[in-house]
Amino acid sequence: MIISKDTDFGGFAKWEISSYVATDTDKDNILTFEELAQKSCNEKEGIKALMSLKADVDNMGLFIQNSDVTNSFAKYNFFSRMIDYYFSVYVPNLLKGTNTYTIFAGGDDLFILGAWDEMINLSKKIREDFLKFVKGSSLTLSVGMILTKPNKPVNFIAQMSEEALEKSKDIDEKDAFTLFDETVKWDDYLDDNGLLEELEILNDNTTMLYRLLKLVELSKKAKTNPKATIWKSKLNYLFSRNMDINKKEVQDLLKNLNLMIEKFPKETKMYLRRKKPSFDCLAVSCFYLG
């Protein structure tokens, strides 16, 4: 923060609005979208794509209406400047050293692009730090994310990202997260019941991951189609045919998948689709990458 020496604004604290864009460390040139995509998966084997992130503070108007921030100009000015500070200053600084590109950051929202695997972890960090920043208030943050090829026009990416964000904003009480065309509450997504770690034993078995995804989709139809409940027997059969069912870690994974697919199919789909970066069918949405 700096103190302005301008005559008209003398004595008022202000900060310079900044943004972050990844650069080539050798040439100090701004990375192109194609170069950002190539940074995916630590430049190792895996799909090379961008992930966009749009974030927006939930229920801002309602919060202001029901709080005391409008009791005086000083309170309102401080509140609005602090919210803007988080997005226009804190987040760009948080992004330093990452393979990301700031489209805009300020006010109460954010739009950034970057290497797809990094962006998923960054989304959790941005939301986690925001909740700490507004601790004691009812404010939350909703996020929409889209996977896309780097050659797509920015306006197209922005439109798809906005639609993903709107899906999150349609959830009751918000604080929601949209990824891989599924929308869930943040707390439900973050509580993976240990499944992500247990899925490590399937890392080299892309056929299993693909079949598990199909069973997840089948389970989502069970509420309206009783025949779809066959996913449970198919899951057990899949494991008995392809895994050493006598191993405890395999039994634990099977038990957890039975639970998570039934109770949290959307979240399970997210975990499966991000678990194997080198398996394109699990990692991407072909609609946006096509």
Side-chain angles (χ1 to χ4, degrees):
M1 188 177 291
I2 60 176
I3 302 296
S4 172
K5 295 181 180 180
D6 188 280
T7 304
D8 294 332
F9 298 96
F12 287 92
K14 68 176 185 178
W15 50 78
E16 296 178 351
I17 295 178
S18 59
S19 61
Y20 171 78
V21 292
T23 58
D24 186 320
T25 53
D26 296 326
K27 300 178 181 178
D28 201 30
N29 294 326
I30 293 176
L31 295 179
T32 66
F33 285 175
E34 180 64 40
E35 290 170 330
L36 280 179
Q38 290 300 318
K39 297 288 186 180
S40 301
C41 310
N42 297 318
E43 301 182 72
K44 298 179 181 179
E45 180 185 4
I47 186 161
K48 306 304 179 184
L50 291 177
M51 181 78 81
S52 67
L53 179 154
K54 264 200 171 184
D56 182 72
V57 178
D58 296 319
N59 303 317
M60 178 69 82
L62 188 62
F63 172 80
I64 292 174
Q65 181 181 340
N66 295 311
S67 69
D68 63 355
V69 297
T70 57
N71 286 357
S72 69
F73 173 77
K75 278 188 175 183
Y76 182 76
N77 185 55
F78 178 78
F79 168 77
S80 59
R81 286 172 69 83
M82 286 298 98
I83 293 293
D84 177 71
Y85 174 86
Y86 180 81
F87 290 100
S88 64
V89 179
Y90 181 80
V91 171
N93 275 280
L94 181 67
L95 299 178
K96 286 183 177 178
T98 64
N99 295 303
T100 58
Y101 191 110
T102 307
I103 306 298
F104 66 75
D108 67 344
D109 55 5
L110 173 72
F111 182 25
I112 56 179
L113 292 167
W116 78 267
D117 53 328
E118 288 187 49
M119 291 293 291
I120 296 177
N121 290 327
L122 278 170
S123 68
K124 295 189 291 185
K125 179 64 175 173
I126 291 170
R127 185 255 184 182
E128 176 185 348
D129 287 1
F130 179 76
L131 293 185
K132 291 178 181 177
F133 190 77
V134 298
K135 188 175 181 179
S137 78
S138 60
L139 292 176
T140 55
L141 189 71
S142 286
V143 170
M145 302 184 74
I146 291 295
L147 199 65
T148 180
K149 283 183 177 178
N151 62 356
K152 293 295 183 182
V154 173
N155 60 347
F156 171 83
I157 298 174
Q159 179 185 344
M160 295 298 102
S161 303
E162 183 64 27
E163 290 178 9
L165 178 59
E166 287 302 314
K167 290 180 180 179
S168 297
K169 303 292 268 186
D170 285 341
I171 295 291
D172 289 344
E173 299 180 2
K174 305 178 177 65
D175 193 25
F177 177 55
T178 296
L179 176 67
F180 299 130
D181 206 32
E182 295 288 358
T183 303
V184 300
K185 299 287 285 187
W186 264 110
D187 287 343
D188 290 336
Y189 172 75
L190 295 173
D191 184 12
D192 71 345
N193 199 40
L195 183 59
L196 272 172
E197 183 176 351
E198 290 178 344
L199 285 170
E200 291 287 348
I201 64 175
L202 300 182
N203 266 357
D204 296 322
N205 195 333
T206 55
T207 300
M208 280 287 291
L209 288 168
Y210 176 72
R211 289 177 178 173
L212 286 172
L213 252 184
K214 293 184 71 174
L215 292 180
V216 170
E217 291 299 328
L218 183 61
S219 75
K220 291 162 65 176
K221 302 175 183 177
K223 289 184 178 179
T224 57
N225 182 4
K227 292 183 178 180
T229 56
I230 198 175
W231 72 264
K232 281 181 172 285
S233 60
K234 284 180 175 289
L235 176 62
N236 288 299
Y237 179 74
L238 178 64
F239 267 69
S240 65
R241 283 295 303 271
N242 297 278
M243 306 288 290
D244 185 351
I245 201 66
N246 293 316
K247 290 184 177 180
K248 184 179 185 303
E249 59 266 30
V250 174
Q251 294 174 2
D252 290 342
L253 174 59
L254 177 58
K255 180 180 179 180
N256 205 3
L257 280 169
N258 266 294
L259 171 66
M260 294 296 287
I261 293 176
E262 181 172 17
K263 300 295 185 181
F264 303 101
K266 293 181 179 181
E267 292 83 350
T268 304
K269 176 182 173 181
M270 290 178 171
Y271 306 145
L272 290 170
R273 295 189 77 172
R274 63 166 291 186
K275 193 58 187 173
K276 187 66 177 176
S278 61
F279 187 24
D280 295 10
C281 292
L282 296 181
V284 306
S285 167
C286 295
F287 174 78
Y288 299 116
L289 287 175

